[in-house]
Amino acid sequence: MLIRALLLLWIQLARTALQINHHTTALIETTVQVLQRSFQDPFAAACIVWKGSTPETELLLGDLLDAVIVRLSGSIPVQLNVVEVQTQRRPWVRNVLLVDDYEAFRELRSDLSIERNDFSGRYLIVVNSAINETFVQKVFIDLWKLQIANVVLIGIETSQPKLWTYFPFSDGICGQARSTTLTLEDDLYPDKISNFHGCQLKVGSFETRPFTIMDRSDEEKLRMSGFEGELLDLLKTRLNFTTKIYEPENGEQWGYALQQNSTGLVRMIQEEEVDFGISCMGISVARNEVLKPGIAHYTTALVLAVPKGRPYTAIEKLFHPFQIEVWWCITTVLLGSTIVIASVERANENVRNFVYGNRVQAPYLNLIRIFFAISMERLPTRNFARTLLFYWIFFCFVIQSLYQGALYRYLQKDSTLPPSKTMAEIDRTDALYFVVESAERYYSSFPHRYKRVHHLPQEKNNIINRLKWMMHHPETSNVVMGALDHMAHHNHLYRRKGGFIDVCREFVSTYTVAIYYPKRSMLTNRFDWEIMRIQASGLMSYWINRYGDYDFFRKVNDASHPKKLSWEHLSAVFEICGVLLGLCGVVFLLEIVSHRYISMGRVYLKLYCRRRNLRN
């Protein structure tokens, strides 16, 4: 058995040696040099597939592959024949295709997919036959339809191996697969999109300030500003390309990300109507399944813009100068004083004269008179009663002075209830949540909030428009969700006009913004490299601060000069005055009829006089 196996091995080696002629040997050597120069990576294997037009040519390709692997001597890791493999961790970045004619290449090309192959990676195509420029051009046209540009093709022309590639963007050429020859001394895989040579790219976007701001001049084409517009302008300068902006139809804005029948800007990118989309596009799992995300160029937060709170009523303003603890303290003192007077009233006349003073009547009424700074009819003559009276006058004087000073200041302010600071406080109100249609997913896990979600109209700049509406309708209790930058931009425009918008201090979610590309786009890596350089320079932070006022918790300074009190300021005073006048009228009527009812007459006698003989 051992002899038989050795014999079969010898026959196979002999057959390989006979089949590999001089031309094939040169092709093998060239392939090995390209692989050793451009496919070296200790962490990523090269995926090698082969296809022959006939069983005989496929055997020859297998022999060629054996010879290549032998000459590599393990210098690069390789994975063979993985066309049928469906499950893998990541797409292949380094791909090698061995074919013998165009039909075999077309069959292998049809097996390339974005799930298994990274179209922006490196590709090497080895053709084990004589080819010409027409063949090369057809191959490159097919590859450009897949946006595979980092490719080297090796074939035999005039009995010698030759290398070709193509540059889709060059002087006078925009998006065309025009072949050019290479030598082994050249850079085989240069960056082919470091310079677009003024070619035009299609950009999907819409207006959502301050991320993107559209200039809709009738004389010129649509232009874009905003801090993402600034980013795009710098990319255009560095990579030397121009743009044409396309907006989603029917004001659909971002739209829904689906495997089929996506909507809005997502659909435009997915169906490759545009080369990329930039317009406050947050990274999400659903979008990543159908689109290709670039590096995150900005991270913000989704927040809720909350109304200022309803204005205080006139009565509430009267209680506003003191905190609730102070009012409870005053109430306790008044209640304690009433209890003391009630206790003294039960004592004999000597005790009453000692506490109140001789011939001092109506202690309850005197208590209220001094509290409201009204003079007494008769002052006490004894030292203890005078000292007690002085303490009460001094207490009331301090309280009245503090209250009057604070009340004057608060009556002039347009005071409102504090805005909601947490989402729990919002939930305790009847507020509706106004959100863009594609953002309702943030509430799907909270049924009590989801049923109160309302969609903003599909129009340009709809979040800013709703914030402006809130500015003119402070009585509303509804809230608006948007990025923190939407709120900051509104405050930047309207803060000095009294249109400051408060935000809930609890974030709904973090929001990471990126440029999105079609799945097989070749732009991603180069754009990501430029964006990382821009971020490192600090330009993104500079642009962002130009378009927004991010000081959400600054204290509003009161006016330095006094204001004249208006009817609105004093309305509570007149309301209370009317109530008290009405109460006086009721008391007067009851006093008139009190002589007819003995029990009522006793109550009045007790309130106004302590002794019957002093009633007159």
Side-chain angles (χ1 to χ4, degrees):
M1 292 296 294
L2 180 60
I3 296 175
R4 182 179 179 184
L6 292 173
L7 182 62
L8 289 174
L9 179 60
W10 181 81
I11 293 173
Q12 179 66 23
L13 293 174
R15 183 169 67 88
T16 300
L18 290 174
Q19 290 175 340
I20 299 177
N21 54 28
H22 172 72
H23 299 159
T24 306
T25 302
L27 183 64
I28 293 171
E29 293 296 334
T30 303
T31 302
V32 170
Q33 292 184 53
V34 173
L35 290 173
Q36 289 179 335
R37 280 188 56 189
S38 305
F39 282 68
Q40 293 271 5
D41 193 321
F43 303 105
C47 169
I48 302 179
V49 295
W50 65 94
K51 183 67 179 177
S53 56
T54 64
E56 292 77 12
T57 56
E58 189 155 349
L59 285 175
L60 291 176
L61 288 174
D63 295 337
L64 185 148
L65 177 59
D66 291 341
V68 169
I69 293 176
V70 169
R71 282 171 171 75
L72 287 173
S73 302
S75 58
I76 64 171
V78 297
Q79 176 76 42
L80 303 180
N81 197 22
V82 295
V83 174
E84 301 300 328
V85 177
Q86 298 295 328
T87 58
Q88 60 191 62
R89 290 181 58 189
R90 62 184 65 182
W92 295 105
V93 178
R94 289 163 173 77
N95 302 270
V96 181
L97 285 68
L98 305 179
V99 296
D100 65 329
D101 63 5
Y102 179 71
E103 293 302 322
F105 164 76
R106 286 188 60 186
E107 189 169 344
L108 285 184
R109 190 209 65 174
S110 64
D111 290 329
L112 298 176
S113 67
I114 55 179
E115 290 79 17
R116 294 195 302 266
N117 308 93
D118 186 349
F119 288 0
S120 63
R122 293 184 175 183
Y123 287 78
L124 175 63
I125 301 174
V126 180
V127 184
N128 188 23
S129 63
I131 59 176
N132 54 27
E133 290 287 344
T134 302
F135 177 94
V136 174
Q137 194 65 37
K138 289 171 62 178
V139 170
F140 286 163
I141 290 174
D142 289 347
L143 291 175
W144 178 239
K145 291 178 182 178
L146 299 177
Q147 292 212 3
I148 296 176
N150 294 323
V151 59
V152 172
L153 188 148
I154 305 176
I156 298 174
E157 186 183 55
T158 63
S159 303
Q160 293 294 329
K162 193 172 181 181
L163 285 71
W164 288 270
T165 189
Y166 76 97
F167 291 84
F169 301 101
S170 58
D171 290 333
I173 298 176
C174 292
Q176 299 179 21
R178 186 173 298 180
S179 62
T180 182
T181 58
L182 294 172
T183 65
L184 289 173
E185 288 74 24
D186 294 330
D187 184 1
L188 300 179
Y189 291 93
D191 187 351
K192 296 181 178 180
I193 55 174
S194 60
N195 188 341
F196 285 87
H197 298 276
C199 294
Q200 186 180 86
L201 298 181
K202 294 177 288 186
V203 181
S205 185
F206 57 89
E207 185 170 46
T208 175
R209 297 171 178 249
F211 294 85
T212 52
I213 302 173
M214 298 299 178
D215 181 8
R216 304 177 184 276
S217 175
D218 296 333
E219 294 77 13
E220 301 179 0
K221 62 181 182 180
L222 188 63
R223 295 177 58 84
M224 184 168 65
S225 59
F227 61 80
E228 283 192 317
E230 303 272 7
L231 173 64
L232 180 60
D233 287 342
L234 188 53
L235 289 175
K236 289 162 57 177
T237 301
R238 290 190 172 182
L239 299 180
N240 190 20
F241 65 88
T242 60
T243 58
K244 185 174 182 180
I245 299 174
Y246 295 83
E247 296 181 288
E249 298 178 352
N250 303 320
E252 288 182 334
Q253 296 187 333
W254 295 274
Y256 288 99
L258 307 170
Q259 292 296 334
Q260 295 180 348
N261 301 322
S262 297
T263 59
L265 183 56
V266 174
R267 180 196 62 79
M268 296 173 65
I269 303 172
Q270 184 180 9
E271 297 181 3
E272 299 185 7
E273 294 180 7
V274 294
D275 295 304
F276 60 90
I278 176 172
S279 192
C280 186
M281 295 200 69
I283 296 177
S284 69
V285 175
R287 288 174 182 169
N288 289 357
E289 289 180 354
V290 298
L291 305 177
K292 188 176 183 181
I295 188 175
H297 58 260
Y298 181 52
T299 299
T300 183
L302 294 178
V303 296
L304 294 170
V306 294
K308 293 182 178 180
R310 67 168 179 82
Y312 285 106
T313 63
I315 299 297
E316 287 174 334
K317 281 188 176 183
L318 290 180
F319 293 94
H320 197 57
F322 288 160
Q323 294 183 350
I324 187 66
E325 294 84 358
V326 178
W327 287 116
W328 276 116
C329 180
I330 295 174
T331 303
T332 303
V333 171
L334 289 174
L335 181 61
S337 302
T338 304
I339 294 174
V340 170
I341 293 174
S343 301
V344 174
E345 284 292 301
R346 293 179 176 271
N348 56 46
E349 187 173 355
N350 292 331
V351 174
R352 292 196 296 268
N353 290 337
F354 179 76
V355 176
Y356 303 148
N358 191 27
R359 301 180 63 84
V360 174
Q361 308 303 317
Y364 293 106
L365 189 58
N366 289 338
L367 178 73
I368 302 302
R369 283 175 175 172
I370 298 172
F371 185 76
F372 286 104
I374 302 174
S375 62
M376 294 177 58
E377 295 179 358
R378 187 184 296 274
L379 295 176
T381 57
R382 304 190 64 165
N383 292 335
F384 179 80
R386 289 184 176 183
T387 303
L388 197 63
L389 177 62
F390 171 76
Y391 284 153
W392 181 242
I393 292 175
F394 183 75
F395 172 79
C396 295
F397 172 77
V398 173
I399 295 297
Q400 291 165 7
S401 300
L402 294 176
Y403 181 79
Q404 289 173 359
L407 181 63
Y408 180 76
R409 181 164 57 92
Y410 278 106
L411 285 177
Q412 296 180 83
K413 293 176 60 177
D414 297 327
S415 301
T416 60
L417 290 170
S420 300
K421 296 181 180 180
T422 64
M423 297 188 72
E425 291 181 8
I426 298 174
D427 292 339
R428 288 194 289 268
T429 68
D430 59 350
L432 301 177
Y433 291 81
F434 281 86
V435 303
V436 295
E437 187 175 1
S438 59
E440 65 180 5
R441 66 184 185 273
Y442 293 101
Y443 300 89
S444 58
S445 300
F446 305 93
H448 64 288
R449 293 173 185 162
Y450 189 78
K451 64 183 180 181
R452 292 198 281 173
V453 168
H454 280 228
H455 295 160
L456 291 170
Q458 291 188 342
E459 60 184 9
K460 67 180 183 71
N461 225 20
N462 52 1
I463 296 177
I464 295 295
N465 291 342
R466 183 67 188 185
L467 294 177
K468 189 175 181 180
W469 182 90
M470 285 181 62
M471 179 180 71
H472 297 293
H473 296 80
E475 73 283 355
T476 183
S477 62
N478 302 328
V479 299
V480 182
M481 191 184 82
L484 190 67
D485 310 272
H486 291 118
M487 319 303 173
H489 182 65
H490 173 88
N491 290 345
H492 175 70
L493 296 176
Y494 300 108
R495 184 167 202 147
R496 295 184 178 179
K497 300 177 182 178
F500 176 79
I501 290 292
D502 291 288
V503 298
C504 177
R505 300 197 181 191
E506 288 183 351
F507 294 166
V508 177
S509 174
T510 56
Y511 193 70
T512 305
V513 182
I515 299 176
Y516 267 97
Y517 310 82
K519 272 290 188 180
R520 56 189 188 183
S521 173
M522 59 180 289
L523 305 177
T524 312
N525 292 338
R526 184 63 198 185
F527 274 48
D528 286 353
W529 172 251
E530 294 294 339
I531 288 173
M532 283 191 292
R533 293 177 62 191
I534 293 171
Q535 286 178 317
S537 69
L539 278 174
M540 282 301 302
S541 299
Y542 170 73
W543 291 330
I544 291 165
N545 289 325
R546 286 180 58 191
Y547 289 94
D549 182 352
Y550 290 85
D551 192 357
F552 288 97
F553 308 116
R554 181 194 306 170
K555 293 183 179 179
V556 180
N557 295 326
D558 296 333
S560 58
H561 56 85
K563 298 179 181 178
K564 295 181 179 180
L565 294 179
S566 64
W567 166 262
E568 182 181 359
H569 296 148
L570 299 177
S571 56
V573 178
F574 290 111
E575 289 176 8
I576 291 180
C577 182
V579 171
L580 294 179
L581 288 175
L583 180 61
C584 291
V586 172
V587 172
F588 177 70
L589 292 176
L590 292 176
E591 189 172 3
I592 291 176
V593 299
S594 63
H595 67 279
R596 297 183 181 180
Y597 303 95
I598 299 175
S599 58
M600 187 179 296
R602 290 176 179 175
V603 171
Y604 275 97
L605 185 63
K606 192 68 174 177
L607 288 175
Y608 295 119
C609 295
R610 285 191 288 111
R611 296 186 293 273
R612 290 180 178 271
N613 56 355
L614 297 176
R615 185 172 182 180
N616 297 323

